[in-house]
Amino acid sequence: MEITCEGCGHLIRFGELTPRFCEQCGHRLAQIQSPPESSTVAPKRDLAPSPASTKRPVKQTKVGRYQLGNQLGRGGMGAVYEATDTATGRRVALKLLSLGRARDKMAVDRFLREAQLAAQISHPRTTFVFEAGEDRGRPFIVMELMPGRTLQDELDEHGHLTVGQAVDHMLDVIDGLIAAHQLNVIHRDVKPSNCFLDTAGRVKVGDFGLSKSLVTDANLTRTGMFMGTPLFAAPEQLRGDDVDQRTDVYAVGATLFTLISGRPPFEGDAMSVTAQIVSDTAPTLKSLVERVPRGLDRVVARTLHKNPDERFQNLLELKQALLPFSKRNRALAEMARRAAAYMIDYILLTSILHLLQILVAVYLELSAGFLERPELATMRTNNFLLICGIVGWPMIVAYFAVGDGLFGRTIGKRLMGLRVINNDGEAPGIWRGLVRSVIIPGAIGIPVVGLLLRLNSVEQTVGALDFSVLMSLVLRIWMFLRLMELLPGLVCLVSMRPANGLRGIHGLVSGTRVIRVVPPPSHSLMDELILPNVDAVPADTPSMIGPFHIYGLLAQNHSARVYVAKDESLNRHAWVFCFARQDQMDQHPDVHRHGRARCLQHGRTDDCSWYACEAVEGVPFAMAAEQSGIFTWENTRQAVLDLARELEAAIQDQSLPRQLELSQFWIERKGSGKLVDFPLPNSPETVPGTEITPAERACRLLQSVFELIQRRQILPERVRQFFDEFSRRPNDEASIAWAVERLDEAAHRTASVKRNVRLGVLGATIGIEWIGYSAIAFLTLFFYFRNLGWWPAWKMVLPLVVLCGVFFGLGYWLRGGPVFRFMGIDVQNQHGRVASRWRSGFRNLVAWFPFAVYMVCVAPLVVISIDMVRLTQNGEKADVSLFSFAVTFIVVIIFCNLLIYAGALYAVRHPQRGIPDQLAGTRLVPH
């Protein structure tokens, strides 16, 4: 037998038992009910645009001013049609409430509530709502027409998607949902048929029909009544409990599960699925798809947890967990960042080990009676240090094996935003981590342990060595140790190239790679933008223009006014441009890109021609430049990239406004950029337009933006060079495309020196410059003492001058130092220009002066200690002056160490301007 659903028109075939609900839309078949109680187990489409092969002709040909075309989809609330705006020619998707639902007040209220909630969200990853209205008693919503398919269509055709494809699609969905959550809107109906593909293959989330505002909930859901698709609904949603962001986290996890496995987490009829979701544990992805990474399996399992407290608490956390499994968002970790992470870990571990060694060695010396039996104390201490040296390296290897293998990151990698993954995008596991760490840093331990054993066998002869021979032996030992620490790392660099993901030998052998993970956005100063003033409405202004209620004046002159208005049906703000002459708004573009303030409607009144677009919650870019602390390259670079992309696209589709002024470029509070079709009246700066080509107009606008940025910001040198080069290029489309490419590259680079970057610089400094400068100091002191001796003390001034000259010379030559060059850090003066060589050299000298004093004092202290041991072994009494000099050198060394540590802590606290920068009048910026 067969029956047709009155809600969606679906033909249902059944046997002896007559179904009570439609299997397609959940509509009660006996009579029309207000909201659908449940939905399909395997919905093909729910108000979602479908491929051309599934389009149906329509009976009603016109709704309002919209000419209906083919039917794109149908659901429990109504149908979606392809339509054309007869006034503008714009092609849209029109969602029309069914006749049965139009007689139900609650259904109508919920239908209009969808339009209001969706209209609040303007994001590249969400569909856009243009208008809501009513025609012959039937409400309708006008939406952006998506040219592509849905993810449900992809599943229907391919069965399932690859892990990388599925994760990339869901990351797009997450971005759109995050924008909704920031406005306290919960979608509540995320599923494959509500995820639309655009022409670029990116996904937009749509159909906010079941969305709920956490602030102004209209309470349109009946008590105990489930609304949504049970296949992807969270348990608390099915029970009728309160919902929040974690409800959408569950739906995203269920959708991702479906995309990868080809089936939803639970299967069966609507009642069976509901019972399973509430009571049963979801199956693991690994049980259905063998090649799913275990890490991704754990992430999906956590999203599907019955208890919301056990899930990811928001979509930002989920996004961070999914990024390692994305193919699109994998960024190669720069060599400098990886070296900094390694140095942080290495220095942290060796510092802890050395501190423990010192404490235990002091205890052994004192417990053995150093003054009475120095030979016994020295022997016990040496044996302990030998054991520590042998055991220390396995401990370091174990630290890297556990950190990289089990967690995918060590402390250093976490600070530098890095993660170790295998080819599937998950943590490599303990065995791969062990193989990786045995090579680096494990290979360093083999020669070091051998050296320690060798030194222990000759320790009895050290006291009898001549001073120059002893210093030569110490120097060779120290240089050997430093070389062994650097050599394995240098060997690994040989195999690193972009073609293999910058993997060293340790990465190739272990099958791992290091990627950079972008941290979730934190609070931005852009939220503190001071919006432009809205003046009172002039007395001669009508209260309504079209469907827009006028309540403020944004700008005006003798020929035009710009009003701040509100579309009451959508509860959305808009700008209404009113022109005295029709020709002022002729050939207005109809563009649906995120980089453009979208046209909503336009028309004529008795007094003017008007044009309405979405209101931009932000300020003109030129006005943002006047707000101190806001106008930084880090805050504005995304807006500039958005402008360049919009100009490139507008040139290609010939939709570039005929007049381009700087006042048409706005920056939103969330940091994105918008191009407004018409300039504000009384705009102070104008880019000549009508007499030049579109490419020239676009290039001149970009150039004016770049000039404004250079006047008001401290920029990385690479960005400044890009601006200068753009000013010399021809004003054509190729220059715009080149600018987009360079700006996109700059958007993914470090925009400012923050604390983690400064900490990485300090780690690399200790691991590279400290070793190099120590070698220079040892060589200087060795040749100095060998020829002149160390007494009297005033002679120590000469090696100090030599070391200071070395530090100044390297800073002068490299404009800051070797590590700054390696890490891509520039030293700039207070005016934002590259600091002079003299200033850079002075800064490096100030930074390393305490270290120079420290090294100069260590050498005589070692000599004094050796002399005191010799005198004690010969039964002689040491001169009092030796003790006084030793105490003096120890105090100076302690003071220098305190200066070094204090400077390091201050540099982390003030990453752009440490103590050397304060004294030298410089600042640190990324190159």
Side-chain angles (χ1 to χ4, degrees), residues 382 541 688:
N382 289 345
T541 302

Side-chain angles (χ1 to χ4, degrees), residues 24 206 218 236 282-283 357 393 445 457 534 567 649 687 756 773 818 823 825 859:
Q24 179 69 16
E236 66 271 17
Q357 291 175 12
W393 285 112
S457 65
V534 177
D567 184 344
V687 179
N756 66 329
Y773 289 159
M823 294 287 292
I825 303 295

Side-chain angles (χ1 to χ4, degrees), residues 186 188 210 212 214 217 219 221-227 233-248 274 277-278 306-309 311:
I186 308 302
R188 299 201 301 173
L210 300 182
K212 176 179 181 179
L214 299 181
D217 180 24
N219 195 22
T221 305
R222 292 178 177 176
T223 304
M225 180 73 71
F226 163 69
M227 302 176 67
E236 66 271 17
Q237 186 178 357
L238 292 172
R239 292 192 298 262
D241 297 340
D242 292 337
V243 298
D244 54 24
Q245 295 187 26
R246 298 170 297 182
T247 304
D248 282 349
T274 301
I277 291 176
V278 173
K306 301 274 180 262
N307 185 359
D309 294 335
R311 300 177 202 147

Side-chain angles (χ1 to χ4, degrees), residues 603-659:
R604 285 190 58 84
T605 66
D606 295 338
D607 301 325
C608 69
S609 298
W610 61 271
Y611 167 90
C613 69
E614 60 175 321
V616 180
E617 189 183 3
V619 298
F621 196 73
M623 184 181 295
E626 300 173 359
Q627 301 188 21
S628 177
I630 302 291
F631 200 67
T632 65
W633 175 244
E634 186 172 15
N635 286 338
T636 57
R637 59 180 177 173
Q638 182 60 49
V640 177
L641 174 60
D642 290 341
L643 172 65
R645 285 174 171 168
E646 174 57 35
L647 293 175
E648 181 183 32
I651 293 173
Q652 292 176 355
D653 63 12
Q654 299 181 353
S655 63
L656 192 71
R658 293 187 303 171
Q659 189 174 5

Side-chain angles (χ1 to χ4, degrees), residues 106 139 180 197 269 293 353 383 385 470 473 507 533 558 600-601 722 726 738-739 772 795 828 840 900 904 906 915 919:
M106 180 173 287
L197 288 164
D269 57 45
L353 290 175
N383 289 336
L385 294 177
L470 176 62
L473 177 62
N533 294 325
H558 66 281
L600 302 177
Q601 295 185 41
F722 156 64
F726 182 82
W738 175 81
K795 292 184 178 180
Q828 290 188 352
S840 300
I900 293 171
Y906 187 88
I915 294 177
L919 297 175

Side-chain angles (χ1 to χ4, degrees), residues 82-104:
E82 184 178 342
T84 302
D85 188 340
T86 56
T88 65
R90 176 165 58 193
R91 296 176 64 247
V92 296
L94 189 144
K95 187 173 186 178
L96 184 64
L97 191 65
S98 64
L99 282 172
R101 302 296 187 195
R103 294 191 291 267
D104 189 317

Side-chain angles (χ1 to χ4, degrees), residues 456-478:
N456 191 61
S457 65
V458 299
E459 64 177 355
Q460 302 298 329
T461 64
V462 170
L465 293 177
D466 179 74
F467 172 74
S468 61
V469 177
L470 176 62
M471 292 297 293
S472 177
L473 177 62
V474 171
L475 178 63
R476 285 197 294 267
I477 292 173
W478 188 91

